[in-house]
Amino acid sequence: MKTAAFLVLALTLTVAARGIERAVPADDSDAKAFGAEVLQLAIDNCLNGDAVQALALFKAIREQLDPPVAVRQIIDAYEVTGCRPNSNVLGRWGFQVGFGGDSNVNQGISATSLTLGSGSNPLELPLGDAYRPKSSLYAVVGIDRTFGLGTTGTGQLTLQSRANQAVPELNLTSALAAAAMPFEFFGRPGRIQLDVGATWLGGQYYQRAGALGLQWLPSLTDRSWMANLATIRTNYSTQSNQDSQLVEAGVWRERMVALGVGLFGGVSGLYDHAINQRAGGDRYGWRYQFGASAAWGNWQIQPRVNVLAWRSSEVFAPGLIDEVRQHRIALLDVQLIRPVSANQQIVVEWRARIANDNVPLYAYRGQTLAIYWRYQQ
């Protein structure tokens, strides 16, 4: 059950992040530092042939946000094309290969016992070695294809697999199909996105999920703000009692504070509906994210913090664990990115995850350190 909860979170974060990263070329690291959300939307519109909207966004970025020289050069290059649909740009292949180590592949817990019942006669049960953290080296390989959909949309197919040397029963393979389409509402630009994915754990089909998301710029005068709304349906092949429907709404903001230095962050509220009598019932909570991006010699540094907290609406297991679950997980991530050619990057990533929970079975800690090579056609 702990693994299931973590995979739901991982897919949620992937869906949220994918909309930010999709169309910014992998070699434009300064563009990522400037802030992918607004620039992403302008590039999407340009590649999809929406010249009027794209050129208006490029003009606003140049005049209102004072981007660095590298970002201005990227904007100039897109403006020169006249923002006509380009099938060569929309038909791109990407590849990724990485190696790393994980201190807690199985999300093992530090608690040595579990107390059942309450009142004057609680029962304390010792927890065996199967609950202890297991570390492992691992390898990751991934491939993706980006292409055009009609005259204005974009699509992407992604396949990724992670093999754990010491814990092969937790090898993870995922497949994701995504489609995005720009729109305009009250004269302001936005994007609608659909994601459908499946996950295999240890070679066995484990989970499927679908997500529908909206991103919208509510103000034409301050384009550093973006509103987000998403819903994710998750189903498990062998744990149907964990099936859920998550709804999340919030805002995102990006801002340049110095040449080549950007800050970004967002906050959202969430409601997680338990479809099949999940222990603890529905969940209510919030998420906040913040981070920065800055140049350091030939490297780009991108630290990020993502915190998710929720509270269940019912007692977890009446008579056994008389607790209303309160869960908080923090993901700390630092990436060092260095372009090695026009189409290739080396990425060094350190990630820590800290999960606190009043039910000891769901509290754990772990770290990963990995290096990746990425190629974008």
Side-chain angles (χ1 to χ4, degrees), residues 2 7 39 90 102 119 173 207 220 276:
K2 295 196 280 76
L7 290 176
L39 189 60
L90 288 176
D102 190 333
T173 300
Q207 176 199 85
L220 291 175
N276 294 322

Side-chain angles (χ1 to χ4, degrees), residues 151-165:
T151 58
T152 61
T154 58
Q156 187 174 50
L157 299 175
T158 303
L159 181 64
Q160 182 167 295
S161 183
R162 166 172 158 164
N164 302 298
Q165 181 187 45

Side-chain angles (χ1 to χ4, degrees), residues 232-316:
I232 302 173
R233 172 66 179 264
T234 306
N235 295 91
Y236 295 86
S237 61
T238 60
Q239 301 180 48
S240 60
N241 63 319
Q242 295 294 314
D243 293 354
S244 66
Q245 182 83 41
L246 175 71
V247 178
E248 185 170 0
V251 294
W252 182 269
R253 180 172 172 81
E254 297 185 349
R255 185 176 182 85
M256 288 291 294
V257 295
L259 184 63
V261 179
L263 300 178
F264 56 86
V267 62
S268 59
L270 58 90
Y271 166 62
D272 186 0
H273 172 57
I275 296 175
N276 294 322
Q277 298 181 337
R278 178 180 59 196
D282 295 346
R283 299 167 179 172
Y284 303 85
W286 52 268
R287 183 201 311 275
Y288 69 81
Q289 306 174 62
F290 62 89
S293 186
W296 180 44
N298 294 324
W299 292 85
Q300 198 71 35
I301 307 175
Q302 296 182 352
R304 181 192 297 257
V305 177
N306 190 311
V307 178
L308 172 67
W310 52 259
R311 177 186 176 91
S312 64
S313 59
E314 303 171 5
V315 171
F316 181 71

